[in-house]
Amino acid sequence: MTKDSKKKAGAAQDYGCPYASRRDLLFGLAGAGGAFALRSGGAFAKDAPVSEPQKKTERADETSGRQVADAPSGSGNTRDRVPFYGEHQAGVITPRPATGIVASFDVVARDPEDLEQMFRKLTDRIAFLTQGGKVPQLDPKLPPADSGVLGPVIEPDNLTITVGLGNSLFENRPWLKPHKPKQLVRMPEFPNDALDADRSHGDLSLQFSANLLDTNIHALRDIVKNLPEFLVMRWMQEGDVPVIPPKPDGKTESARNFLGFHDGSANPDSNDAELMEEVIWVDEKDDEPEWAYGGTYQAVRIIRNFVERWDRTPLREQERIIGRKKNNGAPLDGGDRESEVPDYAADPDGKLTPLDAHIRLANPRTEKTRENLMLRRPFNYSNGVTKSGQLDQGLLFIAYQADLDKGFVTVQRRLDGEPLEEYIKPVGGGFFYVLPGVPEPGDYLGRSLIEAASKTSDDKPT
Amino acid sequence: MSLTRILCALTFALLLGAGGAQAQSNQASLELVEPLAEYKLYVAEHTASLVEDTKEFVGAIKDGDVEKAKSLFAPTRRNYEKIEPIAELFADLDVSMDSRADDYEKGEADPNFGGFHRIEYVLWEKNTTEGLDKYADKLLADVIELDSRVSELTFPPEIVVGGAAVLMEEVAATKISGEEDRYSRTDLWDFEANFDGSRKIFELFKPLIDDEAFIAKVESNFADVYEVLADYQTEDGGFVSYEKLTDMDRRVLSAKVNTLAEELSTLRGRLGLG
Ligand code: HEM
């Protein structure tokens, strides 16, 4: 620990700021006070030492000490399996593997029975695809049951498929509308946005992530093939993040995005189950319909980066725009590690970290702005070339939070007009509500919603 | 063309193993003869009306009657769209009659872009018949050539049976979005004709399929697409502009077409035509 960061951690505690560095606390200041700070305060991803005993959650992978936005270690194996059954869907607080896809669909379902059938089929496919197994062999005169992209035996390859529902699914169906999650809206157009209708919104989102891109592609094709009567594809975006083996001391770093900066450094600690309950998972504390407990809001943004222009920008300016150092991800007010915590109180005029730096606007780290936390799980994308002959690259931004207004929407409103906007252009995405998990075999995704909806349609006077 | 003549020719072809039926027992092949012959009649009927209708269409173009030519465009094409499931049997004519501007690197500027869609382009985008004479003549020549070829054409069973699914694939891939009749917006006419053509094949071979659940599913999906289209039908049996199709209905059509493509893709295998 550097002298500097110790000072900061101390200072943070002095005025009750919850953003004390968890690592600093554990390494130096741990004790009753430290433990308290941990519970009530914000514990951030990079602050969690790998050695800390982890809280038990249902999924083994979530106790591995890896953070959601850590660079995948490259030790990934096609046999890696993320359990499907659980209180929450996988793929939200699950450490991000190397590749991801977000696909958006329109749903054809006229009544609760149709929708239930769709959810059951989707559940079957996801359970199979994420756990793996043999592909059934059919009469060779028939089209094969499976695309064959992964061969005759499907290896799970760390695959998760996370299902979210969009505003239009509810709005266009009177029997579903009363059950819409309170904050679910069609994603508004923010001032810097230039939304492309062909890459925006949708009734249902599927987030695929796996070690290998082909595993995602295989799963997507399987679902398209098996649910044609229910799902019409609108758009999809692929992405990936660089694989970086852990350092000799076991430490992992956040992956870098296409602006060349570490991305995910200040994510909330996804191994802190209580923190995840608070920040990510919807439950009694939230003003939401009961069926939605165990779910979360997903904000997807396809954000183009003007990389040629960025690469022609002086380094110092790049760092002041982001608010972190490019080579190591450390904050601008000291330290040399991305885990260091900036002390904005000591820099009220923005001499070290400009007041309009991306990270300072996104998270001013005050007592009040603690309620605006979210978990970011992005991928980088590269889509070829634009008409003007520039690279079409950017960030497939994906964020999860229990409160969409306080999370993504508030943070984006604070970021509106930030200097980074010169270099980025959001062109697509959507807001979705991630369904609660499937607790056990026999159950299905969306059951609580279907039960709620069937009740209303039965109650209706005929 | 008489049914008996076709039946004899087909039986002969099948028994000789022409048309890829080699692997099948003669018994199974023989079962296919009747529906194949019926299908050939269906095709011949439509190529014959295609010739008649095209003559009138071409006449209107030559008379310089833009409005009449426009009104005849969709009804004339309809004959062709119904037999499109087997277009691969006359691929050269298909390219000549029914290719789209996107099939040419220079698009509409390419003089080789001809056929129905060149005429459509000039009628609607330029609102004239000027310069269309040579394209109209060529279209009529192609149509007549097609009609005369049909009687001699071998109808391999796997192509006919497979055609039902192939056409749904085409609709799903490049028609549902309204790319086909982009100038005239008469796409819904084509949709109906395509569904008719695909369903005809299904209906003809249905008696040979021993799977009631499958049959019921396909029938209900066809019923659904006709139900959607019915909302857009005009009193004279035509259709309103593609632009009137709501997003919701386009989605339903898209889902049903993909489901039909998925289901009908098993038709060949179910009939033993690997
Ligand atoms: C292409 C667009 C974006 C790029 C390149 C970008 C890049 C970065 C980088 C490099 C960091 C610092 C490392 C870290 O803590 O992860 C960061 C932090 C952050 N970003 Fe972004 N970001 C983008 C869009 C967004 C959007 C749309 C939001 C939300 C509306 C957002 C919210 C945040 C938050 C909350 C932090 C953490 C701040 C902290 O707690 O210190 N970012 N971003």
Side-chain angles (χ1 to χ4, degrees):
Chain A
M1 176 170 63
T2 65
K3 221 173 101 209
D4 238 23
S5 56
K6 190 185 217 164
K7 183 190 78 204
K8 267 181 249 157
Q13 278 197 316
D14 287 348
Y15 57 86
C17 171
Y19 297 100
S21 157
R22 182 180 206 175
R23 175 173 291 134
D24 291 344
L25 287 168
L26 284 162
F27 283 11
L29 304 167
F36 173 75
L38 256 185
R39 193 65 295 113
S40 62
F44 289 96
K46 283 294 122 193
D47 309 341
V50 177
S51 59
E52 196 219 351
Q54 302 300 332
K55 304 223 168 39
K56 198 121 189 79
T57 60
E58 313 103 46
R59 289 195 180 85
D61 67 289
E62 287 158 14
T63 64
S64 64
R66 297 186 59 76
Q67 292 293 336
V68 156
D70 276 356
S73 67
S75 62
N77 182 305
T78 55
R79 304 250 160 90
D80 295 345
R81 183 177 287 131
V82 183
F84 171 67
Y85 297 101
E87 184 189 351
H88 309 297
Q89 286 193 70
V92 175
I93 62 171
T94 312
R96 173 188 58 182
T99 72
I101 291 180
V102 174
S104 161
F105 299 83
D106 285 321
V107 170
V108 176
R110 274 171 289 204
D111 46 39
E113 290 74 40
D114 280 358
L115 196 61
E116 176 180 342
Q117 236 197 318
M118 181 199 78
F119 282 142
R120 285 183 181 276
K121 270 204 162 175
L122 202 52
T123 307
D124 281 355
R125 294 324 298 162
I126 296 175
F128 171 72
L129 291 163
T130 57
Q131 303 309 296
K134 269 198 185 140
V135 171
Q137 297 300 305
L138 305 181
D139 179 341
K141 289 198 194 81
L142 291 172
D146 182 274
S147 64
V149 167
L150 299 183
V153 178
I154 309 301
E155 301 281 10
D157 194 36
N158 240 340
L159 175 68
T160 58
I161 304 174
T162 312
V163 182
L165 305 181
N167 173 64
S168 51
L169 181 80
F170 295 89
E171 283 298 323
N172 295 332
R173 291 169 182 77
W175 45 273
L176 207 56
K177 198 172 166 179
H179 306 285
K180 193 172 81 164
K182 291 273 163 53
Q183 300 184 353
L184 187 61
V185 290
R186 180 183 162 95
M187 182 174 76
E189 191 145 16
F190 294 92
N192 188 39
D193 289 10
L195 295 185
D196 172 358
D198 295 335
R199 284 190 280 177
S200 304
H201 316 300
D203 289 345
L204 181 140
S205 72
L206 295 180
Q207 177 204 256
F208 298 83
S209 30
N211 295 334
L212 301 170
L213 179 60
D214 289 36
T215 304
N216 294 325
I217 299 273
H218 170 266
L220 174 61
R221 279 176 57 178
D222 182 280
I223 286 173
V224 165
K225 182 173 175 63
N226 282 287
L227 284 94
E229 66 253 72
F230 300 115
L231 295 180
V232 179
M233 209 156 173
R234 277 179 80 97
W235 53 266
M236 64 167 271
Q237 180 61 58
E238 292 173 2
D240 63 4
V241 282
V243 166
I244 304 171
K247 303 207 180 89
D249 61 3
K251 295 228 174 63
T252 52
E253 53 185 292
S254 307
R256 287 177 190 266
N257 59 31
F258 277 168
L259 298 188
F261 280 75
H262 284 293
D263 196 343
S265 321
N267 247 346
D269 178 2
S270 54
N271 289 309
D272 182 338
E274 237 167 284
L275 185 66
M276 291 297 103
E277 282 304 327
E278 184 190 332
V279 176
I280 308 301
W281 304 120
V282 165
D283 55 24
E284 299 78 11
K285 73 180 179 312
D286 302 291
D287 177 25
E288 292 291 354
E290 214 177 314
W291 73 261
Y293 293 177
T296 181
Y297 285 96
Q298 177 188 55
V300 179
R301 306 272 286 166
I302 302 174
I303 308 176
R304 184 165 167 224
N305 294 173
F306 301 122
V307 293
E308 287 91 346
R309 183 167 178 191
W310 182 253
D311 291 345
R312 292 171 200 135
T313 302
L315 175 62
R316 206 175 126 73
E317 195 176 326
Q318 291 186 9
E319 293 182 333
R320 290 174 61 81
I321 288 172
I322 297 292
R324 286 183 178 267
K325 284 177 201 139
K326 198 170 186 182
N327 63 348
N328 55 19
L332 295 182
D333 60 354
D336 57 5
R337 292 190 317 226
E338 52 171 323
S339 55
E340 317 272 0
V341 177
D343 181 1
Y344 300 143
D347 178 26
D349 302 326
K351 291 205 169 74
L352 299 171
T353 309
L355 299 176
D356 59 4
H358 180 70
I359 67 163
R360 193 160 182 173
L361 287 174
N363 183 2
R365 295 179 182 250
T366 65
E367 188 61 51
K368 175 78 184 122
T369 59
R370 186 191 146 72
E371 64 184 27
N372 308 125
L373 290 179
M374 68 179 88
L375 188 68
R376 291 165 293 133
R377 197 175 184 273
F379 295 94
N380 302 325
Y381 75 78
S382 174
N383 284 350
V385 183
T386 68
K387 277 206 186 84
S388 334
Q390 291 207 315
L391 294 168
D392 187 358
Q393 305 188 335
L395 191 67
L396 173 56
F397 175 96
I398 308 169
Y400 294 100
Q401 55 265 291
D403 190 316
L404 183 62
D405 291 340
K406 288 185 181 155
F408 178 82
V409 174
T410 300
V411 173
Q412 181 57 57
R413 296 272 177 228
R414 278 204 300 258
L415 289 173
D416 286 347
E418 65 171 329
L420 181 61
E421 283 187 351
E422 295 269 320
Y423 302 90
I424 64 175
K425 187 53 79 182
V427 294
F431 289 169
F432 301 93
Y433 190 79
V434 171
L435 289 168
V438 180
E440 59 197 10
D443 207 341
Y444 65 95
L445 281 162
R447 181 183 44 75
S448 55
L449 172 60
I450 293 294
E451 283 175 2
S454 311
K455 220 160 141 244
T456 3
S457 42
D458 290 349
D459 291 350
K460 247 193 288 173
T462 40
Chain B
M1 198 174 349
S2 85
L3 182 56
T4 9
R5 211 189 103 204
I6 300 177
L7 271 174
C8 294
L10 273 169
T11 314
F12 186 64
L14 283 169
L15 289 178
L16 278 182
Q22 298 92 328
Q24 307 311 315
S25 72
N26 289 344
Q27 186 58 42
S29 303
L30 281 171
E31 281 188 333
L32 298 172
V33 169
E34 200 184 317
L36 274 175
E38 289 267 1
Y39 185 67
K40 195 161 181 178
L41 269 184
Y42 174 86
V43 171
E45 242 169 59
H46 284 97
T47 55
S49 358
L50 179 63
V51 172
E52 290 318 303
D53 292 355
T54 306
K55 278 181 185 156
E56 209 188 330
F57 179 48
V58 165
I61 293 169
K62 298 218 155 169
D63 290 347
D65 191 340
V66 177
E67 286 319 306
K68 186 170 178 202
K70 280 184 179 175
S71 73
L72 292 176
F73 172 75
T76 304
R77 281 178 62 67
R78 172 144 70 171
N79 297 297
Y80 185 68
E81 292 294 312
K82 284 190 188 186
I83 62 164
E84 227 186 348
I86 52 155
E88 67 171 288
L89 295 178
F90 37 84
D92 57 327
L93 294 175
D94 190 43
V95 168
S96 177
M97 295 189 302
D98 202 30
S99 58
R100 306 184 194 164
D102 327 286
D103 298 327
Y104 304 87
E105 204 174 336
K106 287 190 231 147
E108 284 99 356
D110 191 324
N112 292 323
F113 165 48
F116 276 115
H117 296 301
R118 155 71 69 178
I119 296 172
E120 179 197 8
Y121 167 67
V122 174
L123 286 178
W124 268 271
E125 297 291 303
K126 312 267 182 217
N127 205 26
T128 177
T129 56
E130 235 164 88
L132 279 183
D133 278 13
K134 70 171 181 188
Y135 294 109
D137 287 339
K138 174 75 169 112
L139 180 67
L140 185 57
D142 285 343
V143 161
I144 292 170
E145 165 72 11
L146 172 63
D147 186 49
S148 71
R149 264 195 225 172
V150 164
S151 53
E152 303 308 320
L153 212 56
T154 314
F155 277 38
E158 71 279 7
I159 301 252
V160 173
V161 172
V166 168
L167 190 54
M168 292 300 100
E169 296 290 2
E170 292 253 332
V171 176
T174 70
K175 294 184 185 225
I176 195 75
S177 51
E179 291 163 56
E180 172 108 55
D181 303 310
R182 72 190 64 165
Y183 319 109
S184 63
R185 311 283 41 179
T186 55
D187 308 75
L188 298 181
W189 293 68
D190 286 23
F191 288 4
E192 186 196 45
N194 289 160
F195 291 132
D196 284 353
S198 178
R199 187 173 65 164
K200 180 74 188 177
I201 297 174
F202 171 72
E203 293 293 333
L204 288 173
F205 291 90
K206 189 171 77 176
L208 305 180
I209 296 167
D210 193 18
D211 181 344
E212 274 175 29
F214 169 77
I215 291 175
K217 230 180 142 205
V218 174
E219 283 178 341
S220 116
N221 279 313
F222 271 122
D224 287 345
V225 295
Y226 284 111
E227 196 184 313
V228 173
L229 284 181
D231 289 344
Y232 298 92
Q233 199 135 28
T234 53
E235 271 175 18
D236 57 1
F239 286 91
V240 298
S241 162
Y242 175 83
E243 281 155 6
K244 296 263 185 328
L245 186 65
T246 64
D247 282 351
M248 195 67 128
D249 282 338
R250 186 170 36 75
R251 240 168 267 158
V252 172
L253 280 182
S254 191
K256 297 296 168 188
V257 166
N258 274 295
T259 310
L260 282 167
E262 194 69 48
E263 288 162 349
L264 294 173
S265 72
T266 65
L267 209 55
R268 272 176 24 184
R270 287 168 183 275
L271 294 169
L273 297 164

